[in-house]
Amino acid sequence: MVCIHLKMAVGIILVVLLYVISVVSSTHPKKKTVVGIIGQPVLLPCGRSKLATPNYPTKTRIYWQDLIPRVLHVFKDGNEEYDHQHPLYNNRTTINTDQLASGNLSLLLNPVNVRDNRLTCDVILIINGATSKECQITVNVTASYQKPKLTLNVTDMTLVCSTHGGFPEYQVTWRTHNRTLEPQEAVNKTTQDPGTGTYNISSRVNVTEGQHITCSIYNPILNETQSDFIVIQASKEGSHLLKFILPAVCLLVTLLIAVFLCLKYPNFRKPWRKMIHCCPEPEPENTAEEPEIAELNPQQ
């Protein structure tokens, strides 16, 4: 146990000394920013024109370390060395040793996680005792949000937009057909997944029937927008009532038209008399002429 603590203490002292030396002796390092996707590998690029020397690799040391400083990776005397690597980076770092002599000092970090966000890594090179800071790389961690899902609650006429799996924190926007809703019109709730560190989002707004509305989630690192759209239909109660009202209105209009026609046009009555009792069949007129009875003239 004592040996382990002593080893860690030596490692810390070594890292601090390297950091101080690099600050004093380095020129302006090459600064770069890369985007790392959670769960995927990211390359921390660093290169110089030439690394090979007459004493390479036995007199060459390369340290990749963050600003705390904590060691990400070490190449020493021709081999990769893990004794001083911080546990945060265990089993996640790789270099291409075959390309070091040509000046490729890049480090592969795999996989990226949320704790790597805003990681700034310095690459310190020591050749024959001469120390220089070659590169400084910053990692912006991100992840795409899932396509949002819209859920309507017809009881209180609220619309909920939900998504998950994204990083960093979102920017949510609600739009109707004629305006963009103000931020205070939405109630937002954000939780962070304890395993992945990604965000789960829920945003709620009040809506009205017939409204066209879009929910958009924006990821500023990826410059990516995920959206969903909905048209708020009439409530089910109103739809059911409408199903009864429309046939009744149509029947009433039909009856009124039929009554009008049978009153206006007598010849139109026959086809409707069995259906509509408002137009009784008229009594037939007695058109036959009474026979003339000749008076008998007894005198004739």
Side-chain angles (χ1 to χ4, degrees):
M1 183 66 69
V2 174
C3 293
I4 294 175
H5 287 300
L6 181 60
K7 198 174 189 180
M8 291 180 64
V10 171
I12 294 172
I13 294 172
L14 177 61
V15 169
V16 172
L17 288 175
L18 285 171
Y19 183 76
V20 172
I21 293 172
S22 67
V23 171
V24 173
S25 60
S26 67
T27 58
H28 297 289
K30 302 173 184 177
K31 295 184 179 181
K32 298 179 181 179
T33 300
V34 297
V35 173
I37 308 297
I38 294 175
Q40 299 182 18
V42 63
L43 186 68
L44 310 185
C46 183
R48 54 174 287 153
S49 58
K50 190 176 181 182
L51 180 63
T53 67
N55 296 319
Y56 174 81
T58 57
K59 295 296 182 179
T60 300
R61 298 182 183 183
I62 310 171
Y63 295 85
W64 292 262
Q65 63 184 41
D66 60 25
L67 300 182
I68 290 181
R70 296 174 297 199
V71 173
L72 280 75
H73 202 83
V74 176
F75 178 84
K76 179 181 178 182
D77 298 332
N79 297 294
E80 295 174 275
E81 190 256 359
Y82 298 95
D83 291 342
H84 304 106
Q85 186 181 52
H86 192 275
L88 183 61
Y89 305 107
N90 282 351
N91 302 315
R92 293 203 299 138
T93 58
T94 308
I95 60 170
N96 191 334
T97 56
D98 294 336
Q99 295 185 12
L100 290 178
S102 62
N104 186 358
L105 311 182
S106 302
L107 177 73
L108 185 70
L109 183 64
N110 184 28
V112 171
N113 60 47
V114 170
R115 290 177 296 179
D116 298 323
N117 191 39
R118 307 304 301 169
L119 163 68
T120 299
C121 175
D122 289 331
V123 182
I124 299 171
L125 175 64
I126 304 175
I127 301 179
N128 295 326
T131 302
S132 62
K133 184 188 293 185
E134 295 297 322
C135 304
Q136 187 175 84
I137 308 104
T138 299
V139 181
N140 289 331
V141 172
T142 189
S144 293
Y145 283 96
Q146 298 297 311
K147 180 179 177 64
K149 178 183 178 182
L150 294 175
T151 305
L152 177 64
N153 187 338
V154 295
T155 303
D156 58 1
M157 290 303 291
T158 58
L159 184 64
V160 176
C161 177
S162 58
T163 184
H164 64 278
F167 192 90
E169 290 191 61
Y170 63 96
Q171 295 178 17
V172 60
T173 304
W174 289 93
R175 293 185 181 89
T176 65
H177 63 284
N178 59 357
R179 73 182 186 95
T180 299
L181 273 61
E182 297 295 333
Q184 60 269 21
E185 295 182 72
V187 178
N188 300 327
K189 181 181 179 182
T190 305
T191 59
Q192 198 165 14
D193 186 279
T196 63
T198 57
Y199 289 103
N200 304 317
I201 301 166
S202 176
S203 181
R204 185 178 76 251
V205 294
N206 294 320
V207 294
T208 57
E209 293 181 0
Q211 193 173 39
H212 299 223
I213 191 163
T214 301
C215 173
S216 300
I217 308 295
Y218 177 65
N219 185 322
I221 301 298
L222 295 174
N223 192 27
E224 178 182 78
T225 301
Q226 300 281 4
S227 301
D228 198 11
F229 170 84
I230 191 174
V231 177
I232 310 300
Q233 303 292 345
S235 63
K236 292 183 178 180
E237 292 78 5
S239 299
H240 289 314
L241 185 60
L242 199 60
K243 290 180 181 178
F244 291 104
I245 292 176
L246 285 178
V249 171
C250 292
L251 180 59
L252 179 60
V253 171
T254 302
L255 290 174
L256 291 174
I257 293 174
V259 170
F260 172 78
L261 291 175
C262 76
L263 291 175
K264 184 74 174 176
Y265 304 101
N267 292 334
F268 192 75
R269 295 175 186 176
K270 281 188 176 183
W272 289 89
R273 71 176 184 272
K274 292 183 180 180
M275 297 176 58
I276 305 173
H277 301 289
C278 65
C279 304
E281 185 70 17
E283 294 293 332
E285 296 179 2
N286 188 3
T287 58
E289 295 182 357
E290 294 183 359
E292 295 182 359
I293 301 176
E295 292 184 1
L296 297 177
N297 190 345
Q299 297 180 358
Q300 290 181 353

